[in-house]
Amino acid sequence: MVRSGGRHPLRFKVRYGVHQHPTAGLVLIDTGYGPRVTEGAGRSLPLRIYASLLRPRLIEEHQPTRVLDRLGASTADVAAIVLTHFHADHVAALHLFPKARIYAKAAVHARVEARSRFSNLRHGVFDELLPQDLSSRIVDIDQLSVKPAPNGLGEGADLFGDGETLAVNLPGHAEGHFGICFAAQPVPLLYAVDTQWCTAALDPGKAPGLPAALVASDRRALAASSRRVAAFREQGGDVLLCHDPSDSPYDLPEVPQ
Ligand SMILES: [Zn+2]
């Protein structure tokens, strides 16, 4: 998915992940945008305003149903979804997966549930996109055992009990924002989600990139997280970001036309 905005189109991707785990099954990492943001008849006025400002452009072939179909699976096969945070471009297609377990921070979700809709908006959260039964499906990543992550990244919650898929706190972008480190890959991979929007912003001497800094919930924490991600990369790790406009070897190839 790509979104554009402004008089000079700035096109950022909005990635979500598909991960086949040997014991946990088919896992999604976030869900990306979906029609509930762009065209749902029952959308609140703030969500309509958000969609008209950001103008996300949904690409049919990139929607979860189509991507899963391409991979020989269906939405019903998705056993679990890891939610890195509760922003619209990460939760908008949750309704497609009513049975999936949700790996998320229960304390952050409890705060979302306790706040008014208006107060959630100030945190960039549209609670109307969250399924009503979400709390009963959450696996609280803060209750999981922690394991060391490679390349000096610190430690992370061991999502599936094998020490290979670690949820690493990367505070600053949004409440409870975390990334996912695939520690057992030949080159360890850190999906750093929204810590930055462009990989170039992680280069030595670069201040945090503008889009990322503008929307940060805590700029100082974001800068510290950004330095940790940059150090992980300097030590030989791969970093993937949700919105980086460049193509990545981790992206699914385009469908031939
Ligand atoms: Zn976000």
Side-chain angles (χ1 to χ4, degrees):
M1 277 160 280
V2 173
R3 70 177 168 200
S4 57
R7 275 192 297 167
H8 307 287
L10 242 187
R11 292 197 169 168
F12 289 103
K13 296 176 196 274
V14 177
R15 291 182 173 84
Y16 60 90
V18 183
H19 178 53
Q20 180 69 54
H21 187 274
T23 55
L26 189 58
V27 177
L28 288 196
I29 298 165
D30 298 322
T31 72
Y33 273 132
R36 291 235 167 154
V37 168
T38 53
E39 60 194 49
R43 291 176 300 160
S44 66
L45 182 62
L47 187 55
R48 286 168 191 266
I49 293 171
Y50 169 91
S52 66
L53 285 175
L54 291 180
R55 285 183 284 151
R57 200 183 84 203
L58 303 186
I59 298 169
E60 194 55 41
E61 294 81 54
H62 295 184
Q63 293 291 296
T65 312
R66 295 285 282 270
V67 167
L68 290 166
D69 186 47
R70 237 181 111 185
L71 298 172
S74 76
T75 53
D77 296 323
V78 173
I81 299 175
V82 184
L83 277 190
T84 61
H85 60 299
F86 291 93
H87 282 168
D89 50 337
H90 298 260
V91 305
L94 277 178
H95 65 283
L96 297 175
F97 309 96
K99 301 265 188 258
R101 294 189 306 282
I102 307 292
Y103 286 77
K105 287 190 178 260
V108 175
H109 181 251
R111 288 204 289 277
V112 168
E113 287 213 304
R115 285 194 298 250
S116 67
R117 176 162 282 185
F118 178 73
S119 178
N120 273 321
L121 288 177
R122 293 175 50 208
H123 291 266
V125 174
F126 295 90
D127 54 18
E128 68 202 83
L129 297 173
L130 300 174
Q132 297 280 327
D133 67 345
L134 195 63
S135 58
S136 67
R137 290 156 57 198
I138 284 183
V139 177
D140 185 8
I141 65 160
D142 286 332
Q143 300 301 319
L144 301 175
S145 62
V146 292
K147 296 272 168 60
N151 296 13
L153 195 57
E155 51 187 25
D158 185 6
L159 289 174
F160 309 126
D162 56 9
E164 296 188 357
T165 316
L166 306 175
V168 176
N169 288 326
L170 293 172
H173 167 70
E175 266 182 304
H177 177 267
F178 62 86
I180 299 171
C181 181
F182 296 88
Q185 294 296 307
V187 175
L189 168 66
L190 174 61
Y191 179 47
V193 199
D194 290 352
T195 304
Q196 282 298 338
W197 283 25
C198 298
T199 312
L202 296 166
D203 290 345
K206 282 276 172 65
L210 250 195
L214 274 179
V215 299
S217 66
D218 179 339
R219 285 191 196 193
R220 188 173 294 182
L222 182 77
S225 292
S226 194
R227 284 193 296 273
R228 276 173 63 215
V229 173
F232 173 88
R233 195 174 65 146
E234 275 157 34
Q235 291 187 42
D238 259 356
V239 170
L240 178 64
L241 299 169
C242 180
H243 301 304
D244 195 309
S246 323
D247 291 337
S248 151
Y250 298 99
D251 291 343
L252 210 57
E254 287 295 330
V255 181
Q257 295 298 314

